């Protein structure tokens, strides 16, 4: 415990950065999820097929999903 004395400011700054990144990724995921849902429910066949192709490509390639 004595080894971390004096690093409180850096730990607080790192915690803040972590929280900011988590909230930013949550916002991006929410926007992408809403766009995907909109495309799935769209009347446009192109939008429906694009929205369906993304999960299929992720299921086929575990490297980047």
């Amino acid at each position: 415990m004595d080894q971390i004395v004096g690093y409180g400011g850096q730990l607080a700054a790192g915690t803040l950065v972590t929280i900011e990144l988590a909230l930013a990724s949550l916002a991006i995921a929410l926007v992408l999820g809403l766009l995907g849902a909109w495309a799935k429910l769209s009347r446009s066949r192109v939008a429906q097929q694009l929205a369906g192709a993304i999960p299929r490509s992720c299921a086929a390639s575990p490297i980047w999903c």
Side-chain angles (χ1 to χ4, degrees):
M1 187 72 171
D2 293 333
Q3 296 173 350
I4 63 171
V5 173
Y7 293 103
Q10 289 179 335
L11 289 171
T15 301
L16 183 62
V17 169
T18 300
I19 292 170
E20 289 172 348
L21 286 172
L23 291 175
S25 64
L26 178 66
I28 291 169
L30 179 66
V31 169
L32 291 176
L34 288 173
L35 284 173
W38 169 80
K40 279 288 223 182
L41 297 174
S42 174
R43 291 187 204 162
S44 169
R45 187 172 291 281
V46 174
Q48 288 177 353
Q49 290 182 352
L50 181 62
I54 294 171
R56 282 193 300 272
S57 64
C58 286
S61 175
I63 294 173
W64 58 281
C65 292

